[in-house]
Amino acid sequence: MEISDNYIYLKIAKFCFNQSNGFTYKNLKIGLEIVDGSWEDNIIKIYLENALKSGRKDQIASSNGAGSLKIDTIITPDLNSIFLLVNDNGNQTILDNQVFILKFDSYFNYLDYLEFKEAVKSAKSAKIYAIIAIIVSALLSLASIGLQLYDKYQIKKNIFNKNIVEIPKQNLKSEKINNFKKIEGKIKTK
């Protein structure tokens, strides 16, 4: 399964990955060329609003049952968002001056995705090289077998070939005798 780089979450992660100093809602919309009110814009707004609300300290009034009010401070739990609010002006609406960054887990998930894409490319090229290596190995094996068969055929052909030049045994004996006489003559003269 191949994921398109036009997938909205990948487009967001890619844009935010390159924004080391953070980004605003307006920067994000312009960078991704998002149209106001589109479904992509709605997804981004939900994530940004969740980032605004996550980890906020809020005070709530509660009754202790005796008729008096008690003020409690609660921290809103982390809501589902891929963003983290960096510069908070205290307002819980998305403003152009609020700065966000990509959450660390989203950042590392995008890094994992990039490594995965690179691994897939490497695996494809490794597969091609492995196939080439197997073909070369098979060709070399066949060539080796062919050369061995050719050598055996040539040896058998030469054994049964009557045109092989043989040195007559007489000539060998006479040469040995002549050489022996030459050596014997040299020894006697000394």
Side-chain angles (χ1 to χ4, degrees):
M1 178 178 119
E2 189 155 329
I3 297 174
S4 170
D5 284 340
N6 292 328
Y7 194 55
I8 183 66
Y9 297 106
L10 290 176
K11 284 172 44 176
I12 291 170
K14 183 177 182 179
F15 175 82
C16 298
F17 185 78
N18 296 317
Q19 304 297 317
S20 59
N21 294 328
F23 56 90
T24 63
Y25 171 60
K26 185 177 181 180
N27 297 132
L28 187 61
K29 281 181 57 176
I30 291 170
L32 297 177
E33 301 172 355
I34 302 293
V35 178
D36 281 337
S38 67
W39 64 272
E40 295 168 327
D41 187 37
N42 291 335
I43 290 173
I44 291 171
K45 281 182 183 176
I46 289 170
Y47 278 128
L48 291 174
E49 287 171 2
N50 285 347
L52 283 171
K53 295 173 186 173
S54 293
R56 286 196 175 268
K57 290 182 180 179
D58 291 324
Q59 292 185 343
I60 59 167
S62 63
S63 172
N64 62 4
S68 63
L69 290 176
K70 179 181 174 189
I71 306 271
D72 289 326
T73 301
I74 63 163
I75 297 178
T76 307
D78 259 356
L79 300 173
N80 186 17
S81 180
I82 59 174
F83 303 118
L84 188 64
L85 180 63
V86 177
N87 183 13
D88 186 9
N89 65 5
N91 196 337
Q92 287 193 354
T93 60
I94 304 170
L95 300 174
D96 287 335
N97 61 350
Q98 289 176 320
V99 179
F100 298 89
I101 61 171
L102 197 60
K103 250 184 181 180
F104 299 120
D105 58 341
S106 300
Y107 181 86
F108 289 114
N109 285 341
Y110 184 66
L111 278 178
D112 287 342
Y113 168 74
L114 292 177
E115 288 176 3
F116 175 73
K117 271 183 79 172
E118 196 61 36
V120 168
K121 285 180 189 176
S122 296
K124 286 180 182 178
S125 64
K127 181 180 176 183
I128 290 169
Y129 289 132
I131 290 170
I132 291 170
I134 289 170
I135 290 170
V136 167
S137 175
L139 290 174
L140 289 174
S141 297
L142 289 174
S144 175
I145 292 169
L147 286 174
Q148 288 178 4
L149 291 174
Y150 178 76
D151 284 346
K152 285 184 180 180
Y153 173 76
Q154 287 299 326
I155 291 170
K156 286 182 181 179
K157 182 179 175 184
N158 288 339
I159 289 173
F160 298 111
N161 191 352
K162 306 227 178 189
N163 296 330
I164 296 178
V165 177
E166 291 185 23
I167 301 174
K169 293 181 183 177
Q170 302 170 0
N171 291 345
L172 283 177
K173 284 183 182 177
S174 62
E175 281 183 35
K176 286 182 184 178
I177 294 171
N178 288 337
N179 286 338
F180 181 72
K181 288 181 182 177
K182 286 179 187 175
I183 294 171
E184 192 178 88
K186 287 181 184 177
I187 295 174
K188 288 182 184 178
T189 55
K190 289 183 181 181

